[in-house]
Amino acid sequence: MFKAKRLHPAAILFNLIKTVREFLFAIILGFISFRDESMFYFLLITAGFLVLFIITSILTWYRYTYRVEDDELRIEYGVFIRKKRFISKNRIQSIDLTSGVIHRIFGLTKVQIETAGTGTGAEASLSAVKMAEGEALREELKTGGAQQVDNTDTADEHPEQTNPSQTISFKRLFIAGTTSGSVGVILALAVAGFSELEEFIPNSFYDNTLEWVIGLGIVILIVMAIGVLILLWLLGIAGTMIKNGNFTITKNHNELFITRGLLEKKQITIPLKRIQAVGIQESIIRQPLGFVTVYAEVAGGSMDKGEDFSSTLFPIMKREEVEPFLEIFLPDYGGIQQELTPLPKRARKFYIFRASIIFLILTAVVGFWNPSFIWMPLVLLVGSMILGVMRHRDGGFHQHGEQLTIRHRSFSRNTIMMYHKRIQAFEKKQHKIQSQQKLATMRLSIIGSMGTGTHFAIKDLEESLTDELGDWYSYRS
């Protein structure tokens, strides 16, 4: 049993940062709007609000207490209106520890507790506690008193039990960065950021810079463009290494325990029973090199984990290393099926058509209005047709017993393994042309992040095979 405790005083700083961040846009807008003699009054009002924010942050910290009592985490908070939140140990699905830069300076961590009903945020979040205290709280909430006694007895019978663990090497981390394809994402963010900053750039400076760039000549412009791409590529490598540095996955009884991050250290817990499917992703860049990413679709959870809806089980490994990895950490998903039932050959034309129709129209439009530039959409048209062929070639499935493996491609090739009991819905779709060709689309749904559904679709399967899979799904022993 824990006595009621307060968060570390550094929580005052986190509360203040959170409050200021919510008003940051208004503050920046005020600085831009009041640039004349009204600036003094604006600064005076801003200072008054800052003092109010500091006082509120201190009171929020003082009024926030937590304790574990009667198999519950009990949190009391609220400055003016007192609120109480009780979270039963039985409802807790996962407990994650996250240490940002400021946390690590003070030796602290942030404890996020998720339950089955967690939505977009954690059920409870302790913004700043000592690292040792956070780990002790996690152990206390994961095991009840009776379970602790049982575990003690078990420990006497089996004094040494090693938890399997695997860490990413620096070389693999570097390869993950160089092949992450984050250049496009960073470039898009840079363009979006520039479009916002453009509003605040003086017209004279903008015009002079544009005139200077145009006057540089084509060779210098190409060199500058290559330099920018190299810089973005290096930033992508750095971002990947900072995000996944020291990545370690450990299996502890019925949980997977993942730690990662150089600046912000995250400790994520994934209960095995919440894993709905396991996927292997092969990006267009990594596939020729034989590298894959292993991930899991986890039921519930919150977006605060920053896992982009799917949880990465290992950022990068060789394709032939996946099977031994699964045998250790997720033996139920071992036995990867490499030979899948392919899509029928007559479905290829539909895949090519869907992938290339937009560029086909674009080529026709450019060819009509400006034939001298028709080579540009033609290149995209050929690329989209190749992508369509690849999507058709990689699509397929394999069903064995209770396990179903499907494979599809958007840009990356994804192989997903799931069990009959995890599939929430099966849908067969068929439009008139598919019906004439004896083809159909299979759509599967599982419980995904935030309790919503995650869907997988294989288009233009053989109709008879789709019906067989429907019968397999309908049969529940």
Side-chain angles (χ1 to χ4, degrees), residues 83-98:
K83 299 176 183 178
K84 297 181 180 181
R85 176 175 291 179
F86 298 160
I87 304 174
S88 171
K89 288 182 179 179
N90 297 326
R91 290 184 56 229
I92 294 175
Q93 299 287 335
S94 66
I95 305 167
D96 300 333
L97 305 183
T98 305

Side-chain angles (χ1 to χ4, degrees), residues 11-22:
I12 298 172
L13 178 61
F14 293 122
N15 291 336
L16 181 61
I17 293 174
K18 180 181 178 183
T19 306
V20 171
R21 190 172 57 191
E22 292 174 353

Side-chain angles (χ1 to χ4, degrees), residues 261-301:
L262 293 180
L263 294 181
E264 185 183 60
K265 184 178 180 181
K266 284 181 175 264
Q267 299 181 359
I268 300 169
T269 304
I270 301 177
L272 297 183
K273 63 183 179 182
R274 292 177 63 190
I275 293 178
Q276 306 297 300
V278 172
I280 302 167
Q281 186 182 67
E282 302 169 85
S283 69
I284 287 182
I285 300 175
R286 291 176 180 171
Q287 189 177 349
L289 302 175
F291 287 106
V292 304
T293 297
V294 183
Y295 64 94
E297 299 289 347
V298 183

Side-chain angles (χ1 to χ4, degrees), residues 341-344 346-348 350-351 354 392 395-397 406-407 426-444 456-470:
T341 302
L343 300 174
R346 63 182 183 280
R348 182 180 300 162
F350 297 114
Y351 274 83
R354 277 192 288 264
H392 171 264
F397 75 94
I406 62 172
R407 181 177 293 161
F426 177 97
E427 183 180 10
K428 172 188 171 185
K429 295 175 66 176
Q430 199 175 30
H431 52 70
K432 189 172 183 180
I433 299 177
Q434 282 182 318
S435 179
Q436 293 172 347
Q437 295 285 320
K438 303 294 182 186
L439 301 173
T441 297
M442 175 182 68
R443 193 167 187 264
L444 303 169
F456 309 101
I458 305 292
K459 296 180 179 178
D460 303 323
L461 270 174
E462 197 75 63
E463 183 181 9
S464 59
L465 295 177
T466 309
D467 292 334
E468 289 180 13
L469 288 171

Side-chain angles (χ1 to χ4, degrees), residues 220-236:
I220 296 178
L221 287 176
I222 292 174
V223 171
M224 288 179 63
I226 293 174
V228 170
L229 288 176
I230 291 175
L231 177 62
L232 295 177
W233 180 60
L234 293 175
L235 288 175

Side-chain angles (χ1 to χ4, degrees), residues 1-2 66-75 84-92 113 137 140-141 143-145:
M1 180 184 297
F2 285 2
Y66 67 95
R67 68 184 189 277
V68 179
E69 185 176 332
D70 296 335
D71 288 337
E72 287 181 332
L73 173 65
R74 300 186 175 184
I75 300 173
K84 297 181 180 181
R85 176 175 291 179
F86 298 160
I87 304 174
S88 171
K89 288 182 179 179
N90 297 326
R91 290 184 56 229
I92 294 175
I113 298 162
L137 180 62
E140 173 69 18
L141 294 175
T143 56

Side-chain angles (χ1 to χ4, degrees), residues 48 59 62 90 125 167 202 235 277 287 413 446-447 469 476:
L59 290 176
Y62 183 77
N90 297 326
S125 180
T167 305
L235 288 175
Q287 189 177 349
R413 188 171 78 167
I446 61 173
I447 297 177
L469 288 171
R476 291 181 180 272

